[in-house]
Amino acid sequence: MKNLAIFIFSGFFFLPSTLANAGVLKDKNCGSCHRLNATEKSFTGPDLHYAGSKFQPEWLSAFLKRGEVIRPAGFITDPGFLKGPSENRPPHPSFPEEEAHALTEELMSLKIPRQTSVTSEPLSKGQRAKIKYQFERTFSCISCHQSLNLAGKVRGGISGPSLVNAGNRLQADWVADWLNTPETYTSKGRMPRYKMDPATLIQFARFVMMLKKENIK
Amino acid sequence: MLLTILVTGCGENEQARPAIKPPTQQEVKQASPLVPQQKLAQVTENTRQTYQWYCAQCHGMKGKGDGINAKFLTVPPRNHTKAEYLETRTDEQLFEAIKFGGLSVGRAPCMPAWGHTLNEDAIASLVQYIRELCQCEAL
């Protein structure tokens, strides 16, 4: 009974906060490029209808204040995608602190159910070397994604989103879910579909989470 | 006795089995070709779109090996318009390279396996499209 009262009270407490931000994404016209719910068919920027499952709020807030380039060649559906980076491509808008905070809060409320649970424990040195080998040679991820080599240098292709700072940007569970069932998130990406065994899948997600820009040397 | 059972446990009694000569590679290929439909594969608009969507990221829009990832790879992507190399590869080898990745055919690991993304008909069709790009056939 006490728990029920707390639940109801917390619901009332949470409601105004949610309502206060309802529509910030709409006000800022984010839906003109991004998909904000699964029923929308077309979008020209990264799909955000699961942003709350994918991103870390600290990174998202910092990104909204001062954007950074995640996809050097642009989004996969850009008409000029296969022509590579272009100076003509407009940068992502930047927002002042308060707006970035409100947008982050609303984006983090956009979630879809998780399928995998990944421990945040870093890989051992041996596991890391093994997965790095698979990352580069077995699954060829490095061909399309920028990453960090063991010397802390940036290397890799640019057609996929950069993974150089993935450990600060993404959520481990989402990385595993993306690798396991990409069709949950996109009807057609440009990335190959992999069938990893569950243990490799988890280790892969943990490896990606170890890629952080502070490790660049 | 136990050791004997353990050593031969997963096998058969070799002495009781009549000696059978293993088939040659040619005989295996004739009996079960790797790509039964490959010769029937057609290059369609869908094939070209598939190439542009997936392959062109590395191999370039015109297949010249100059895709947007090319300059970042340790081994340059294959130029599909050059016959010199491609005519030394069989259709089966090209099919396997696409399906199982570069390492599977002893080439660069930069080329990922597309076997879980594209079905065999689509891969066979891409092989024919590569033949169209290089204007060559296996020697």
Side-chain angles (χ1 to χ4, degrees), chain A:
Chain A
M1 189 62 185
K2 187 182 170 190
N3 286 344
L4 181 64
I6 291 171
F7 176 75
I8 293 169
F9 177 74
S10 63
F12 276 115
F13 186 76
F14 181 69
L15 193 61
S17 162
T18 309
L19 285 177
N21 292 328
V24 185
L25 291 167
K26 191 177 176 187
D27 287 349
K28 297 298 170 192
N29 207 22
C30 303
S32 64
C33 296
H34 301 282
R35 185 160 78 144
L36 300 172
N37 69 64
T39 58
E40 292 165 23
K41 296 291 178 203
S42 70
F43 49 102
T44 57
D47 194 337
L48 295 181
H49 87 270
Y50 47 82
S53 304
K54 177 179 180 180
F55 296 116
Q56 296 183 31
E58 298 80 13
W59 177 87
L60 194 51
S61 183
F63 175 84
L64 289 165
K65 280 185 266 187
R66 199 177 68 175
E68 61 182 280
V69 176
I70 309 293
R71 301 165 186 268
F75 190 59
I76 56 171
T77 55
D78 281 357
F81 177 78
L82 290 173
K83 292 176 183 162
S86 165
E87 290 175 0
N88 298 328
R89 192 170 289 123
H92 191 276
S94 296
F95 302 94
E97 174 86 35
E98 268 186 34
E99 287 179 356
H101 179 76
L103 285 165
T104 300
E105 201 168 307
E106 194 170 336
L107 283 167
M108 290 308 294
S109 72
L110 305 178
K111 295 184 179 183
I112 58 175
R114 294 177 177 188
Q115 301 152 53
T116 320
S117 181
V118 179
T119 170
S120 57
E121 193 183 336
L123 295 173
S124 69
K125 204 171 176 181
Q127 287 171 327
R128 190 179 170 202
K130 185 188 89 175
I131 298 298
K132 182 188 170 291
Y133 179 90
Q134 294 185 340
F135 183 87
E136 295 188 4
R137 295 180 67 87
T138 310
F139 299 106
S140 319
C141 315
I142 199 75
S143 300
C144 299
H145 295 280
Q146 283 185 331
S147 173
L148 294 176
N149 64 13
L150 290 178
K153 303 292 180 198
V154 175
R155 60 165 296 203
I158 58 166
S159 68
S162 169
L163 296 178
V164 167
N165 198 27
N168 290 325
R169 185 172 92 246
L170 305 173
Q171 295 181 32
D173 294 355
W174 182 85
V175 174
D177 283 346
W178 166 262
L179 289 169
N180 197 32
T181 55
E183 63 277 6
T184 306
Y185 303 98
T186 179
S187 57
K188 192 183 177 189
R190 290 186 189 251
M191 180 172 145
R193 177 85 158 81
Y194 296 114
K195 295 218 167 147
M196 295 179 185
D197 63 79
T200 303
L201 181 75
I202 300 287
Q203 290 195 336
F204 238 79
R206 290 168 65 193
F207 174 82
V208 170
M209 295 308 291
M210 291 175 77
L211 301 170
K212 298 183 176 183
K213 67 179 177 186
E214 50 267 34
N215 296 332
I216 297 174
K217 289 173 187 164

Side-chain angles (χ1 to χ4, degrees), chain B residues 36-61:
Chain B
Q37 298 297 315
Q38 192 153 301
K39 287 299 173 194
L40 303 173
Q42 298 289 316
V43 174
T44 64
E45 186 51 35
N46 196 35
T47 315
R48 296 171 202 278
Q49 286 174 5
T50 301
Y51 188 93
Q52 291 301 312
W53 187 255
Y54 297 114
C55 317
Q57 297 178 86
C58 295
H59 294 285
M61 296 163 77

